[in-house]
Structures are given as C-alpha cells and as structure tokens.
Amino acid sequence: MRKILAIAAAAALALTMSACGRDTGTPATGASGSSAAVAVKGTIGVAMPTKTSERWIKDGDYIKQQLEAAGYTVNLVYANDDIPTQVTQVNDMITKKNQLLIVAAIDGVALKGALAEAKAAGIPVVAYDRLLLQTDAVSYYTTFDNFKVGVLQANSLLDGLAASGKPKPWNVELFAGSPDDNNATFFFNGAMSILQPKIDDGTIKIPSAETDFKVVATLRWDAAVAKKRMENILTKSYASTDVNGVLAPYDGLSRGIIAALKGSGYGTGGKALPVVTGQDAELESVKSILAGEQYSTVFKNTRDLAAAAVKMVQEITGGTTVTVNDTTSYNNGIKNVPTQLLQPQVCDKSTCKQILLDANYYTADQLA
Ligand code: GAL
C-alpha cells in the first residue's frame, strides 16, 4: 500500500511539474525502478472541433485507438464548430478530473478561462494541431510546420500555373482560413512569402485586389462562405478575363471554390478550371485531384500527429522528458509553447496516389 501511495505521489508530482512547464527529464522507471515516477494511466480528455471535416474524425479516431492501446481511457468529444459547446466540454473534463487534456480549439483564445481552471486543478494541457492562445495553461503543442504548408501551397500553385501554359501575368485569387485559428495566419504568411514577390514583379495579378488577410479569411473554414466569395469575385472582377489560379488553404474550401467556378462555366466547353491548391488530403479532394480538377493538396499524416500527441501524454504522465523540436516558433501571446513539429508534404495528380498508398492513409479501393 505504501508503495502504491509513493508511486501515485511521484506521478502526481511529475504531472504538476510538467503542468508548470518545468520538465524534469526524470526517466520513468521500468518494472524494477523505485524512485522515479511511473505513468498513472487515467482518462485523457480529447476535445476536437468538428466532424464536418473528415480530417478531425481521423485525428480523433487515431488518438483514441493509440491512447487505448497504451492503456489509457479516452473521453473523446466533438464540438460542432460551436465555441460555447467546446468551452462546456473542456469544463466538463476538468470537473470529471480527466488526467490530461488534448485540445484542438475552434477559437484559439476562447478557451483561456476554462484552461485556467485546468491549470488550477493541476491538469496538463496539450494543444493539438491548433495553438491555444493567450494562456499559460498550455504545456506543450504538436502540429505540422504550418508556415511550410503555405510555402508548399504557393509553390504548387506556381508549378501548376507554369504547367498550364497560360501566358503571364497570371490572374490569381487568394483565400485564407479562419481568422480565429492561429494556423490560418501561418499558412497565409507562408504562401505570401512566395507569392508577394511574384505580385510585386508583375508575374501575378490579383484582379479582385483583395490581398489583405482579414479580407481573404474564411470564418470557421466554411466552404459555403468561400464559395460565395468566389462567386462574388467572378461577377465583380472576371467579366472580361479568366481566373488562372486560386490559393486555397484547405480542401473543404477548395471544393467550395471549384463549385463556384464550375457554376460559372469553368471546367466545361474548353474553359479550363484554374489551378486550385488545398490541404489535408481529404478523400473527396484526392479524388478530384486524380480526376484532374483540384490541382494539389498538402498531405499531413494525422496518424503521425496523433502518435506525437500520444507520445507527449506518455511522457508527461510518466514524468519523462517531453519530446519537442521547436521552442521558438509558437508564441501564444503569453509564452513560447514547446512544440513538436511534423513535416507536411504536397501532392498532385502525378504523386498523390503513391504518397497516400505508401503512407497507408487510404486503400487502393478508396482511390480507384
Ligand atoms: C486547420 C488545420 C488544417 C485544416 C483546417 C480546417 O487548423 O491545420 O489542416 O484542417 O484547420 O479544418
């Protein structure tokens, strides 16, 4: 009994220290260890934003499978892209004394009150894919290199434009993600690091003249909002010219944009669809790419991201050094959050199938 109490106390101490961001580097003991902490495997709260996008369903499933395989119990919830729902869900996890929280926020700032409660209760918080902002209660973060995602999208857009054989200057329109999602700015800034010089030297024209992040952003990553904006732009700025390329930051938006373009006669009668980028390798978009409609996507293997988060859970609850590879890129307004960054990969019609099959992300049947 005394040994169990000692182990529990050591694990609680490790949790507290991790929650405070003071990682001790204490190795977890094996079966024969006696002095350091042993992972206590309780219930892990997993708060996901929405099921409307296929990727978050995969993320949730992978996290649950991997945590359960590692011996934890999982409290997985989705918030329907509704901020109050997510706040309630996180508060509920704290009330139920979940051991640790993994959170993919709808709005990066909106959870700060609930997260302060988590910190007060000694519950560590891992930000998943999207950074939690304006809070010191977030212990660690795991995501993909979000700036690089934007760079990959912009380079792919330029590749597609060059391959289209269309004469320069190319007419391009810009879309960004949800302004309350920290990632959206990273994607856009990454893309503009490549595109702005091309706009400045006249290679690219933006007939709508809409280039400001706030103007091109798409609240809640809503495909219908992107579709409407594309329709308005086509009416306003393309009466006598064609659009050659669209920077789209996420597959759901890409499909909304393509729907608007088709509705306006692109993709039929010899009027080619423009080059449209994307992100997430959602099945519907991969099929569109293979069919020659969407030009490319950025593949981020959510199984790997889930694995990185689960590894953090094991390290935090076990009191061992938490694996991170970036301590400077992600400042949340209060602190630099130690981050494990994974690498994104772009793919197009000639490469997507092989890349996704090799990663075992889809089956050959799904892509047939
Ligand atoms: C971002 C995420 C993207 C995409 C988007 C819309 O935060 O990094 O991969 O999924 O949300 O869901």
Side-chain angles (χ1 to χ4, degrees), residues 125 142 188 262-263 287:
V125 177
T142 186
F188 190 67
K262 284 184 170 175
K287 287 184 173 170

Side-chain angles (χ1 to χ4, degrees), residues 52-326:
T52 55
S53 149
E54 180 191 305
R55 72 149 291 180
W56 299 113
I57 299 174
K58 276 176 172 282
D59 287 271
D61 288 349
Y62 288 139
I63 293 173
K64 187 166 163 28
Q65 283 162 18
Q66 294 178 27
L67 279 174
E68 285 176 351
Y72 296 88
T73 304
V74 179
N75 174 17
L76 168 65
V77 293
Y78 285 84
N80 242 334
D81 257 342
D82 182 58
I83 296 167
T85 300
Q86 193 167 53
V87 171
T88 303
Q89 289 173 336
V90 170
N91 278 325
D92 184 58
M93 290 170 177
I94 298 162
T95 309
K96 290 191 173 131
K97 299 193 168 37
N98 284 181
Q99 185 182 13
L100 183 152
L101 309 184
I102 297 177
V103 181
I106 298 163
D107 174 313
V109 181
L111 291 170
K112 69 177 187 181
L115 297 176
E117 299 291 327
K119 188 177 181 194
I123 301 172
V125 177
V126 170
Y128 184 85
D129 192 78
R130 299 173 172 175
L131 187 57
L132 293 159
L133 303 171
Q134 302 298 336
T135 174
D136 68 349
V138 52
S139 313
Y140 297 97
Y141 178 37
T142 186
T143 190
F144 285 83
D145 184 334
N146 294 307
F147 189 89
K148 186 168 172 190
V149 168
V151 169
L152 293 174
Q153 288 168 338
N155 280 328
S156 174
L157 178 64
L158 293 176
D159 287 350
L161 287 166
S164 73
K166 295 270 157 50
K168 295 175 196 166
W170 293 312
N171 291 331
V172 167
E173 295 300 330
L174 308 173
F175 284 73
S178 195
D180 51 7
D181 177 348
N182 193 57
N183 289 352
T185 320
F186 273 75
F187 301 148
F188 190 67
N189 289 345
M192 291 310 275
S193 73
I194 303 295
L195 298 181
Q196 190 63 54
K198 301 291 179 191
I199 296 171
D200 293 343
D201 73 12
T203 308
I204 284 178
K205 276 177 45 182
I206 314 284
S208 72
E210 294 179 2
T211 56
D212 187 49
F213 175 78
K214 285 198 200 74
V215 177
V216 305
T218 314
L219 187 64
R220 290 292 107 74
W221 300 93
D222 187 336
V225 171
K227 178 170 182 275
K228 188 89 211 126
R229 180 165 167 259
M230 189 73 234
E231 286 167 354
N232 290 341
I233 288 174
L234 289 171
T235 307
K236 183 182 81 169
S237 310
Y238 288 88
S240 56
T241 186
D242 287 346
V243 55
N244 306 128
V246 181
L247 174 77
Y250 150 64
D251 287 347
L253 302 190
S254 315
R255 296 194 296 272
I257 290 162
I258 290 171
L261 289 159
K262 284 184 170 175
S264 165
Y266 287 83
T268 45
K271 189 166 166 174
L273 277 168
V275 177
V276 180
T277 60
Q279 175 175 205
D280 284 351
E282 293 202 329
L283 187 55
E284 214 180 317
S285 283
V286 175
K287 287 184 173 170
S288 166
I289 291 169
L290 298 179
E293 294 194 336
Q294 188 171 320
Y295 182 74
S296 64
T297 190
V298 173
F299 170 48
K300 304 192 301 189
N301 193 330
T302 48
R303 192 187 286 121
D304 292 347
L305 190 62
V310 169
K311 189 160 188 264
M312 280 181 171
V313 170
Q314 290 175 301
E315 290 165 342
I316 295 168
T317 60
T320 61
T321 304
V322 177
T323 308
V324 295
N325 57 14
D326 185 306

